[in-house]
Amino acid sequence: DVKVTQSSRYLVKRTGEKVFLECVQDMDHENMFWYRQDPGPGLRLIYFSYDVKMKEKGDIPEGYSVSREKKERFSLILESASTNQTSMYLCASRRIDAEKLFFGSGTQLSVL
Amino acid sequence: RKEVEQDPGPFNVPEGATVAFNCTYSNSASQSFFWYRQDCRKEPKLLMSVYSSGNEDGRFTAQLNRASQYISLLIRDSKLSDSATYLCVVNMRGSARQLTFGSGTQLTVLP
């Protein structure tokens, strides 16, 4: 089974802190994604990556950046965390020729 | 208008009931469609793909109506374990945005 691992299940940070969310997948998937999930809007795409060092903005990239230096790892960076970035963050991956997404178990981030 | 819209519910149904969810999408060029299931405080997981001819997987039936731009999910003989949020997902091939998720429909099956 594909495993997508997110480094933290719960995270509490202060406004202005730099935050790193890490995601690792073990199935050599080319595509990786970062979503945030909120009541109301639901799942929204922040960034995605086609392959190593390749990234594209999703629907809500403002306030976020990403890094994909290795195929298995996709990092989401909040340069200066703000309270409106309190959310559930979900990482996902998939093969380039497949539709099915595999999600990590999520990181609940609280910014105080 | 949201690209993918679902009735958020909640739908509260007794065990054994049949329940149906609909989902509408705005982009007529959309190519592929899915239902994902998300349990409380867990990640979404693919439930089933939705094909033009309709498809069935046990108690679950998914249908696509391209003319009216909606997809549906029918659950027969619902079980307590079916309680979850069901996410409608649409992919417009070639779109840089990849998959677009609906906000989800919450189902609770009551004993």
Side-chain angles (χ1 to χ4, degrees), chain B residues 32-74:
Chain B
S32 51
F33 310 88
F34 310 89
W35 285 101
Y36 276 68
R37 172 195 167 125
Q38 186 172 23
D39 293 309
C40 189
R41 300 185 196 284
K42 296 286 183 80
E43 70 274 21
K45 292 184 180 178
L46 179 65
L47 176 67
M48 58 198 301
S49 302
V50 186
Y51 302 119
S52 297
S53 54
N55 48 298
E56 204 171 292
D57 183 2
R59 297 181 293 108
F60 297 82
T61 301
Q63 292 195 311
L64 167 64
N65 185 319
R66 285 191 183 273
S68 301
Q69 293 180 212
Y70 77 83
I71 68 172
S72 64
L73 178 68
L74 182 78

Side-chain angles (χ1 to χ4, degrees), chain A residues 2-3 5 7 9-10 19 30 32 43 45 47 50 59 62 72 74-75 77 79-80 86 102 106-107 109:
Chain A
V2 174
K3 193 157 185 187
T5 304
S7 51
R9 188 74 178 95
Y10 298 97
V19 182
E30 291 83 6
M32 295 189 74
L43 267 156
L45 182 63
Y47 266 97
Y50 286 114
D59 297 315
E62 296 78 20
E72 67 271 18
F74 192 33
S75 303
I77 303 148
E79 293 289 341
S80 177
T86 291
F102 293 87
T107 296
L109 172 67

Side-chain angles (χ1 to χ4, degrees), chain A residues 9 37 40 48 59 94, chain B residues 38 41 91 96-98 103:
Chain A
R9 188 74 178 95
Q37 186 172 31
F48 64 100
D59 297 315
R94 70 175 190 193
Chain B
Q38 186 172 23
R41 300 185 196 284
N91 188 2
R97 297 177 185 280
Q98 305 290 316
S103 302

